[in-house]
Amino acid sequence: MEFLQIHYFLKDDFHSMDAYLKNKSEFEVLRIFKEVTEILELDEELLFEAIAIGEGGIKAYYKLLKKKKVKRSVKNALLYLGGILSAIITEVVVSEITRDGDYEKMKKEEVRLHIEKLKEDLESDDKTSEEQILIIQNLSIYIGETNKVKLFKSNFYSNLLKEDKIEKVSTQRLNEDLEPITKENIVPREHFDKFIIHTIEIEPEYKESELIEIVAPVLKKGNMKWKGIFNGIPINFYMRDAEFRTAVINKEISFSNGTNIIADLEMEQTMDDDGEIQIGTISVYNVTDVFEDSNRIETKRKQRNRELENQTKMDFNQE
């Protein structure tokens, strides 16, 4: 069993701070704890308990415990988790949220693979203390690169900046007697801003030549949303293919139950307060095919594209 201490240093010998800001800050710390333990697959095995606050500025102590129902040994988890949490909160500086949703998914998988390897390394009995410290540092870096951890940490330091009394914050691992077992990791107030994300922009996700079932087309002029089904999920979208939309309004293309189209999709993405990427406005472009029952109709756009492609091939062959 060990403790993780978070120490809020207050200037001018103050011993109190805004309770609302303190609770908001520690809520973000707990969200970091939860996310890290989930990434490390320890959320079902460990729990955190808060104990009485000590003197000297304001100190919060979090006890890292193995859940009673867990039978297998997790002593190594307890060994490195406190160090990882301490480093993530105070040492891993972030600059921005990953704007590419696909890249973030890939990053999470990369993190998972690295974590599995590093956890195996920690299980080895032949690792020196220096090698264990290096493993902990690497784990902290990989986990600290995920969007949720960046966001929660940004919120933590944003709240601390609102309290004028705070001049620095630190983390430290303590033993069961509340004695230090690592050095204190200190972040001075002038560095808080390095951890804060001021803008969050997520790049839209663009998919080409996807099948969309049309549930409710818009058969008149206007900026109303169509209804459809994409990958088994109902969606509302804007039809941005003006030529196709005009053909529909002019009744050159009709719809019946089960009509499908092939088109490109652009899905705007936003990040919610929990760091989850959510789908925003969906737009459909470049409709190339319409399927009515067993009939396949090519749009004028596809016909032009094919003619252009054939002409390009002819010009190339003539050269």
Side-chain angles (χ1 to χ4, degrees):
M1 179 185 66
E2 70 172 50
F3 293 84
L4 178 66
Q5 171 188 278
I6 298 181
H7 186 177
Y8 305 94
F9 293 83
L10 306 180
K11 62 184 179 180
D12 300 328
D13 296 323
F14 282 109
H15 295 285
S16 64
M17 62 180 286
D18 186 292
Y20 180 71
L21 289 175
K22 181 178 180 295
N23 287 336
K24 285 188 68 176
S25 299
E26 293 192 352
F27 172 70
E28 299 300 336
V29 168
L30 294 175
R31 294 215 287 180
I32 292 173
F33 290 176
K34 183 176 185 297
E35 181 65 14
V36 172
T37 53
E38 286 182 356
I39 290 175
L40 292 172
E41 298 178 345
L42 298 173
D43 51 310
E44 297 298 324
E45 301 173 358
L46 299 177
L47 56 82
F48 296 89
E49 289 185 353
I51 67 169
I53 296 174
E55 297 180 357
I58 294 179
K59 297 179 182 178
Y61 301 99
Y62 297 93
K63 185 189 297 184
L64 282 64
L65 294 170
K66 183 177 77 170
K67 291 183 179 179
K68 293 181 179 179
K69 66 178 182 180
V70 176
K71 296 182 179 180
R72 74 181 186 88
S73 172
V74 290
K75 62 178 182 179
N76 282 341
L78 288 173
L79 174 67
Y80 63 73
L81 183 57
I84 291 171
L85 292 171
S86 178
I88 285 175
I89 293 171
T90 59
E91 294 184 0
V92 183
V93 178
V94 300
S95 57
E96 63 179 12
I97 287 288
T98 302
R99 295 182 298 168
D100 188 333
D102 287 336
Y103 176 80
E104 174 67 2
K105 294 175 185 176
M106 182 178 67
K107 186 68 180 179
K108 282 188 175 181
E109 179 61 17
E110 180 185 356
V111 167
R112 188 188 68 79
L113 294 175
H114 280 291
I115 286 171
E116 289 303 315
K117 177 63 170 64
L118 291 167
K119 284 169 66 176
E120 290 177 6
D121 291 342
L122 275 177
E123 294 294 331
S124 176
D125 295 329
D126 61 354
K127 291 290 183 293
T128 66
S129 59
E130 290 78 11
E131 288 173 326
Q132 287 183 334
I133 291 173
L134 181 60
I135 292 171
I136 289 172
Q137 290 174 340
N138 287 334
L139 276 169
S140 303
I141 291 171
Y142 283 119
I143 296 173
E145 284 296 319
T146 59
N147 276 348
K148 281 190 177 183
V149 173
K150 291 178 185 177
L151 179 63
F152 300 157
K153 187 161 58 172
S154 174
N155 295 340
F156 172 69
Y157 282 98
S158 293
N159 287 320
L160 295 188
L161 269 181
K162 296 174 184 176
E163 175 53 88
D164 294 335
K165 296 177 183 178
I166 295 178
E167 59 180 10
K168 55 186 174 181
V169 67
S170 75
T171 60
Q172 189 172 30
R173 289 171 60 204
L174 310 175
N175 63 21
E176 58 186 12
D177 297 319
L178 298 183
E179 298 170 340
I181 55 178
T182 62
K183 69 179 182 67
E184 197 169 12
N185 297 323
I186 299 175
V187 179
R189 184 181 184 89
E190 57 266 28
H191 291 171
F192 287 1
D193 196 61
K194 294 181 180 180
F195 296 83
I196 297 173
I197 300 163
H198 297 284
T199 58
I200 299 177
E201 297 179 359
I202 309 296
E203 292 182 355
E205 186 175 8
Y206 200 84
K207 296 179 178 292
E208 296 182 347
S209 301
E210 295 286 353
L211 181 69
I212 306 167
E213 181 180 348
I214 303 301
V215 174
V218 176
L219 304 180
K220 61 181 181 179
K221 292 182 179 181
N223 197 32
M224 293 176 288
K225 290 183 179 181
W226 293 40
K227 297 182 182 294
I229 298 175
F230 174 63
N231 284 343
I233 300 174
I235 61 172
N236 297 325
F237 61 90
Y238 290 106
M239 176 56 69
R240 304 295 190 189
D241 187 328
E243 183 179 65
F244 179 77
R245 192 170 61 239
T246 299
V248 170
I249 294 172
N250 294 336
K251 299 182 179 180
E252 297 173 21
I253 296 175
S254 59
F255 292 89
S256 59
N257 185 32
T259 297
N260 293 271
I261 63 173
I262 300 291
D264 301 340
L265 283 88
E266 182 183 62
M267 294 180 284
E268 295 181 4
Q269 300 183 108
T270 59
M271 180 171 290
D272 63 20
D273 292 338
D274 294 322
E276 298 285 356
I277 294 178
Q278 305 291 343
I279 299 299
T281 301
I282 301 176
S283 300
V284 170
Y285 299 88
N286 304 329
V287 181
T288 59
D289 299 89
V290 180
F291 295 90
E292 294 184 28
D293 297 325
S294 59
N295 298 322
R296 177 172 183 162
I297 303 170
E298 293 184 346
T299 63
K300 295 178 180 179
R301 178 184 302 279
K302 184 172 184 178
Q303 294 171 6
R304 286 198 309 273
N305 290 343
R306 185 171 58 249
E307 291 173 0
L308 180 60
E309 183 180 351
N310 291 336
Q311 184 61 48
T312 302
K313 288 181 180 179
M314 289 177 57
D315 293 342
F316 179 80
N317 291 332
Q318 289 174 0
E319 291 179 0

